[in-house]
Amino acid sequence: MKRPLHLNLFIYGRGHHEAAWRHPSSTPRALTDVDHTISCARIAESAHFDSIFLADTLNLPPDVDSSARLWLEPLTTLGAVAHATSRIGLIATASTSHTEPFNLARQFASLDHISRGRVGWNIVTSFSIAGSRNFGSGRLSHAERYDKGEEFVQVVKALWDSWSDDAVIDDRASGVYMRKDRVRAIDHRGVAYEVAGPLNLPRSPQGWPVLVQAGSSDTGRDFAARHAEAVFTAHIDKSTAVAFYQDIKARTVASGRRPDQLLVLPGISAMIGAAAGRDRARLDVLVERHRRALVDMGGEHRFGMAR
């Protein structure tokens, strides 16, 4: 049987490449003009893409003077996009290290209501020192970030589940809006968080947003195997892509889930030019830059992670 193709559009400022914003065909709109994102989303929706994905950083990039990789805050932006579209999925990046579980659970539940059930959360733990300085603390170690992220996700899931599907009855004749016995406190007391709950918002159309993850370390893969419904990944060689696919599926089964409960979404960058030779030369340059970037990051793919 032919497998379904899942297409996701990665919207990254005015282009992932540092010089894309200067191309004559690049949009003249300001980076703060939400109409650019809305336009991209509408085009993707008309082309039958499954979703759009907004990356995020939590600090001003050091090359801000010569690049156009700034963007509006993802959740706020997707609130506008939700009203301008009707079918396409809307995935926002949000950090477990630099926010609170209750706020994030409420924001995503609200956006799921606004979009009528089209929202996804790209779960990141945030590795940037520059980003952590904006939140009054030093950067956590890799293990600490994932330990905190694990508890964070468990709390958020409990908050989303604190309302039963049938809690709201809206019976105007009897004067009963909702049944309190169908809403539960979570009373979470953990290492990093104490959250009483319940969420102050009824259960959203999906119950939970679609959970997405992009880590490629052993810890990140185990985290994805436990929680994610889709994993972003990017590989230069087919052999490493196949190995990643087999490994993440095996970890998913080991965590007690079915292998089909987690989709693997490989990144594809289209190279378009007037002549095949030019395309090849351009591709070779970008591949080499990508290889160097992976070496600088210790070999761990951090595609789309908030910094």
Side-chain angles (χ1 to χ4, degrees):
M1 185 176 71
K2 185 177 180 181
R3 294 179 179 177
L5 180 63
H6 298 272
L7 299 173
N8 173 72
L9 177 65
F10 176 41
I11 300 178
Y12 191 91
R14 285 192 194 153
H16 188 70
H17 191 271
E18 62 269 19
W21 66 280
R22 295 189 295 154
H23 192 277
S25 299
S26 179
T27 176
R29 290 184 176 127
L31 291 172
T32 51
D33 188 345
V34 73
D35 285 341
H36 171 61
T37 307
I38 289 174
S39 175
C40 291
R42 283 174 167 168
I43 291 171
E45 184 173 69
S46 66
H48 303 288
F49 274 59
D50 294 281
S51 58
I52 64 168
F53 162 58
L54 301 186
D56 197 21
T57 59
L58 299 175
N59 60 278
L60 191 66
D63 60 348
V64 66
D65 59 329
S66 60
S67 67
R69 293 188 289 108
L70 303 176
W71 45 79
L72 299 169
E73 189 279 319
L75 279 165
T76 310
T77 303
L78 290 183
V81 175
H83 266 280
T85 57
S86 60
R87 302 184 309 277
I88 196 165
L90 309 172
I91 302 173
T93 298
S95 171
T96 59
S97 298
H98 303 309
T99 188
E100 292 294 324
F102 189 91
N103 285 345
L104 185 141
R106 189 185 185 201
Q107 288 170 323
F108 271 97
S110 296
L111 193 51
D112 204 46
H113 280 291
I114 291 168
S115 66
R116 292 177 173 82
R118 293 186 283 133
V119 169
W121 173 23
N122 178 38
I123 307 170
V124 299
T125 60
S126 301
F127 64 91
S128 170
I129 295 175
S132 66
R133 288 173 176 167
N134 288 324
F135 296 87
S137 61
R139 184 178 68 168
L140 299 174
S141 69
H142 185 269
E144 288 171 331
R145 293 200 311 271
Y146 272 101
D147 285 343
K148 187 175 182 180
E150 178 70 29
E151 184 179 349
F152 189 106
V153 172
Q154 294 292 352
V155 173
V156 168
K157 286 181 176 180
L159 287 168
W160 285 330
D161 281 345
S162 63
W163 285 66
S164 298
D165 290 337
D166 61 353
V168 176
I169 57 177
D170 198 8
D171 188 341
R172 304 183 186 192
S174 65
V176 178
Y177 176 70
M178 53 85 66
R179 296 170 53 190
K180 287 186 176 181
D181 63 320
R182 304 298 288 165
V183 179
R184 301 163 296 280
I186 67 169
D187 293 323
H188 175 87
R189 292 180 178 272
V191 175
Y193 303 104
E194 291 188 8
V195 182
L199 197 63
N200 58 346
L201 187 68
R203 191 166 173 84
S204 72
Q206 294 185 101
W208 300 353
V210 174
L211 301 181
V212 182
Q213 217 266 341
S216 288
S217 66
D218 282 340
T219 305
R221 294 186 193 197
D222 286 338
F223 183 89
R226 290 191 299 274
H227 300 293
E229 296 166 274
V231 171
F232 291 128
T233 188
H235 294 267
I236 297 172
D237 301 316
K238 182 178 179 180
S239 60
T240 63
V242 171
F244 177 87
Y245 180 92
Q246 293 172 340
D247 179 70
I248 198 69
K249 291 289 186 175
R251 292 173 192 255
T252 302
V253 173
S255 71
R257 302 168 66 198
R258 299 190 316 272
D260 62 355
Q261 289 183 285
L262 187 149
L263 294 173
V264 178
L265 303 177
I268 299 174
S269 297
M271 300 302 300
I272 302 172
R278 293 178 184 176
D279 292 349
R280 183 73 246 180
R282 187 181 303 170
L283 177 61
D284 289 343
V285 170
L286 293 180
V287 166
E288 180 56 31
R289 288 179 179 176
H290 185 61
R291 287 186 190 276
R292 290 200 301 267
L294 289 180
V295 170
D296 292 341
M297 293 189 295
E300 181 183 355
H301 298 298
R302 291 185 174 96
F303 176 74
M305 279 196 163
R307 290 170 168 78

